[in-house]
Amino acid sequence: VPQAARNTYANTSPWRDYTVSGAAYSGSFAFQVITAPDGTRSAEITSYTGNSTTIEIPETVVDATDNTTYNVTSIKGEFLDGNSTATTLVISRYVENIEGDFLSGNDTLRTIQVDTNNQYFSATNGVLFSKDQTMLIKYPPAKTGTNYTMPNTTISLSNHAFANVSVLQTLTLSNQLLVISNSAFAGATSIYRITFQTTTPPYLTGFKAFQVTAENGLQLRVPRNSLTTYQNSLYYRYYRSYMPGV
């Protein structure tokens, strides 16, 4: 509810029977003020209520209750859940934290851009990475193009990195990849072939990391000389029958 009306809601039936949290607004963005361990206060974007195709995260927001300006340093993972219009997201310079389930409830976004002055994140070809490009954080769910080759700087895939992609069909992983989150491919049923380049299987953080459906006929293509290693590796054993050596 609006921050200024929080107490009114909390003391009025039937709202008093629910947990009521306040949200401030800056244009079409809802935000909350967060406090870092060192006492620094900043803003976290929690949702977007507009209908623009291009969404630019603001650098700063103003809390109307006390006219205080805060840098936007964080974005809730679900802030675009249910949005049906956004195709481009621009992340501003002060953002340093993005939740691990970022955009997992969105199916329209095609490209992500990052302010070049941001010290924590970067984007290449519309895909979100850590600043040093070692972690692939988010491949946009509706990004155009059926094939994607991951940069060889990438050593880890974040939670929901490829979750719910709807266009991508074939993916070639980095030859330096070390870790794949078990939710990295959640709902990514359009992908039917994933090519591994590493002789040592990247570590999977849990079972059933890859989506197998009757429709996608999934193939996990691994180096032929490492086929037995992959097939006998913990968590990869489940996919033995989907592994042609290449």
Side-chain angles (χ1 to χ4, degrees):
V1 301
Q3 184 68 38
R6 181 178 180 181
N7 290 337
T8 301
Y9 274 81
N11 294 311
T12 303
S13 180
W15 306 107
R16 65 167 63 100
D17 297 326
Y18 298 87
T19 300
V20 178
S21 60
Y25 288 86
S26 177
S28 298
F29 295 94
F31 68 91
Q32 60 186 5
V33 177
I34 56 177
T35 303
D38 64 1
T40 302
R41 304 183 79 199
S42 61
E44 178 179 59
I45 299 298
T46 58
S47 65
Y48 174 75
T49 60
N51 57 8
S52 296
T53 56
T54 298
I55 298 176
E56 298 185 16
I57 301 297
E59 290 190 358
T60 61
V61 291
V62 177
D63 188 341
T65 60
D66 58 9
N67 207 36
T68 301
T69 299
Y70 296 99
N71 289 345
V72 174
T73 61
S74 182
I75 305 174
K76 279 281 191 184
E78 68 271 17
F79 98 103
L80 274 183
D81 282 10
N83 180 280
S84 61
T85 59
T87 58
T88 300
L89 174 66
V90 183
I91 296 174
S92 52
R93 65 182 300 183
Y94 299 121
V95 174
E96 59 186 71
N97 179 61
I98 294 174
E99 289 191 346
D101 58 348
F102 189 54
L103 301 176
S104 61
N106 175 270
D107 59 10
T108 63
L109 206 67
R110 297 179 183 175
T111 186
I112 299 172
Q113 301 171 11
V114 178
D115 188 303
T116 55
N117 293 312
N118 187 292
Q119 299 180 35
Y120 301 92
F121 302 102
S122 61
T124 299
N125 296 324
V127 180
L128 180 64
F129 292 86
S130 57
K131 186 67 174 182
D132 61 4
Q133 303 257 310
T134 59
M135 176 182 286
L136 192 156
I137 298 170
K138 188 61 182 179
Y139 185 97
K143 179 175 170 58
T144 58
T146 57
N147 309 306
Y148 181 67
T149 298
M150 190 182 301
N152 286 328
T153 54
T154 307
I155 62 175
S156 65
L157 294 186
S158 181
N159 291 332
H160 297 93
F162 288 88
N164 302 320
V165 296
S166 58
V167 180
L168 184 64
Q169 296 179 5
T170 65
L171 170 65
T172 300
L173 301 179
S174 163
N175 63 14
Q176 302 296 317
L177 193 64
L178 298 176
V179 180
I180 299 175
S181 163
N182 70 315
S183 62
F185 295 96
T189 57
S190 68
I191 300 176
Y192 69 84
R193 186 172 68 228
I194 300 175
T195 300
F196 291 77
Q197 299 191 75
T198 53
T199 55
T200 300
Y203 176 71
L204 297 181
T205 62
F207 283 108
K208 298 186 178 181
F210 307 104
Q211 297 297 299
V212 179
T213 68
E215 290 76 20
N216 70 0
L218 181 67
Q219 286 187 4
L220 301 181
R221 306 184 70 182
V222 305
R224 183 172 299 278
N225 292 339
S226 300
L227 180 59
T228 301
T229 303
Y230 272 83
Q231 289 180 335
N232 293 327
S233 179
L234 181 65
Y235 299 145
Y236 285 90
R237 297 172 188 168
Y238 177 82
Y239 304 99
R240 278 173 174 260
S241 60
Y242 304 98
M243 291 184 185
V246 294

